[in-house]
Amino acid sequence: MPATTSATAHLLCALAALLIAAHTVGWIFARLRQPQVIGEILGGVLLGPMALGAAAPDAQRWLLPTRGPVADTLSGLSTLGLLLLVHFTGTDLLRTDGGSERRTVAMVTVTGLALPFAVGLGMAHMADLAGLSGPNGTPATLTLVFGMAIAVTSVPVISRIMLDLGIHGSLFARIVLAVAIAEDVVLYTVLAVVLGFAQSDGSAVPVWRLAGDGTAPPAVTYAYYAVTPVVFLAVVCQWGPGLYSRLATARTNPVARRSPPAHRLVFVLVLCSVCCGLAIDPVFGALASGMCVSRANTPAPYGDIAASETSTAATDEQEATDTLRSFALAVFIPLYFARVGLQLDLSHHFDALFFCWFLALACVAKSFSVWLGARLAGERHATAMNLAVVMNARGGPGIVLASVTYAVGVINQNFFTTLVLLSVITSYVAGQWLGRAVACGRALTDRDAQGPHHSTAVDTGRRIAPRSPADDGPHPKEHQP
């Protein structure tokens, strides 16, 4: 058999095995009304060194090698899944506001982000983190990752749980999502700074590359990576939506007219490529592209586009969203989470003592900070407790933080395992807490209990069925993070 045919068959077998494992275990978790992302990660664990590797090590190493063309291709496909996951998270970041609950949203955002982040930074300075550092980690980048891991909240997981429980339109949901969205924008910006520090030295600053072979001074390097992500996000959010709308409705754009889903994907890839050119991690470009599309007024007419054509453009854009999301949730996003599970090896890369105290620190710091903000805003203890437990879920953003910082060598595999397990456990606890509250008929906020206009469970007139594969991926027919 020719080598190319053999390599292709090998790749197809590996891809099929990962998708079967991710979807099968994810389906089981959905039937048990548990976060599907946990099942997809466990599907990868079953094919990794902990399960298949222990039972049949030679078969596991052949099926899923760590080096070579098959490994590189799977890595590229899962990276695309990561970028699409972050893109779809970004599409919902600007859709929710706090309504009349701005005081609660503001207080919980400030305390729930600043206090746990400060606790993480302080603990990182007090503890010896040398054993958690990867080959490209520095005390500064490791400290920032430590702080982010404690402060991060998952928009996708929380939104998914509330949608499945039928409370997605409640007052409680509006408060939670408004706070989580604000936190995610800040933390993804900090993540872009960390990745910039980790992946580049002064010679990689674009201005210095254009000027010659010289290396930028350290002060200039740090300033560049601290400022560039913020400026990039501001520029894209200001002018990107209009540009995207014009491109989507332009008569001269063959990609948009031939295939709107392809046009959306190209837009994501171009912004990610621009980030790479600026020495910013492409994850930040995926987030910016999602925020851009969210703000784009695609149905608005441009030039001489007739009303009927404008309506067609709006329909095409919605179909593009549905199509791209469906395919991402079917292939790329489950593949990404399965490969996260492949890298988990509790038998060789897990420090149980460190995990226990880090889990306790993260949960206490985040939950208390959210509870304190809610109380300072005038919410009652029960409401503050509900917010504290739910916003402790780290879900997809926590896993993204773990995987991308591990991939660039900021953290080692031990810390990566701890961060993934932290995300899984806190997401599970949040789902159980909300599920029991709704099942018992408890109001999640005082105003939810005041009457039918503020009911905890939103009456949608239908039972919400378990959604498709990736817990952190938006449903193609439901607008949610």
Side-chain angles (χ1 to χ4, degrees), residues 72-358:
D72 293 341
T73 303
L74 290 176
S75 177
L77 293 174
S78 67
T79 298
L80 183 56
L82 167 63
L83 296 178
L84 289 173
L85 171 65
V86 175
H87 167 76
F88 288 126
T89 299
T91 58
D92 287 300
L93 285 183
L94 301 178
R95 287 181 178 170
T96 306
D97 58 46
S100 60
E101 306 307 313
R102 288 186 177 88
R103 176 178 172 82
T104 300
V105 170
M107 291 301 300
V108 172
T109 299
V110 172
T111 60
L113 181 61
L115 290 183
F117 192 73
V119 168
L121 296 183
M123 183 58 66
H125 282 292
M126 294 171 56
D128 181 12
L129 302 183
L132 305 177
S133 179
N136 297 325
T138 65
T141 56
L142 201 59
T143 298
L144 288 174
V145 171
F146 205 88
M148 284 189 290
I150 294 178
V152 68
T153 295
S154 172
V155 173
V157 162
I158 294 173
S159 182
R160 166 63 185 275
I161 291 171
M162 292 190 294
L163 182 64
D164 282 348
L165 293 174
I167 60 173
H168 196 264
S170 66
L171 175 65
F172 178 82
R174 293 201 304 270
I175 294 173
V176 169
L177 292 178
V179 175
I181 284 166
E183 291 185 356
D184 272 13
V185 172
V186 174
L187 290 172
Y188 270 111
T189 304
V190 176
L191 178 60
V193 174
V194 170
L195 296 176
F197 288 161
Q199 297 179 85
S200 304
D201 56 22
S203 62
V205 176
V207 174
W208 261 256
R209 289 205 306 263
L210 294 175
D213 297 329
T215 299
V220 174
T221 302
Y222 286 118
Y224 176 84
Y225 290 117
V227 173
T228 303
V230 179
V231 174
F232 174 82
L233 186 62
V235 171
V236 170
C237 287
Q238 178 65 34
W239 288 287
L243 175 62
Y244 179 81
S245 295
R246 287 174 170 81
L247 290 173
T249 55
R251 295 177 182 274
T252 56
N253 184 350
V255 178
R257 297 181 71 84
R258 174 69 177 82
S259 175
H263 173 257
R264 168 75 73 86
L265 182 59
V266 167
F267 184 75
V268 176
L269 297 178
V270 167
L271 280 189
C272 292
S273 299
V274 170
C275 281
C276 291
L278 295 172
I280 307 173
D281 194 271
V283 167
F284 199 66
L287 179 75
S289 69
M291 296 173 67
C292 219
V293 171
S294 176
R295 296 185 60 187
N297 188 17
T298 303
Y302 289 94
D304 59 351
I305 298 178
S308 60
E309 189 169 345
T310 301
S311 176
T312 301
T315 302
D316 289 345
E317 182 63 24
Q318 183 58 49
E319 291 178 354
T321 299
D322 294 347
T323 301
L324 191 57
R325 286 185 174 185
S326 295
F327 193 70
L329 288 169
V331 180
F332 296 114
I333 293 176
L335 180 62
Y336 163 69
F337 283 121
R339 291 199 78 243
V340 169
L342 276 178
Q343 299 175 78
L344 292 179
D345 186 357
L346 300 182
S347 59
H348 298 96
H349 298 284
F350 179 64
D351 185 336
L353 180 61
F354 168 72
F355 172 74
C356 289
W357 77 255
F358 185 76

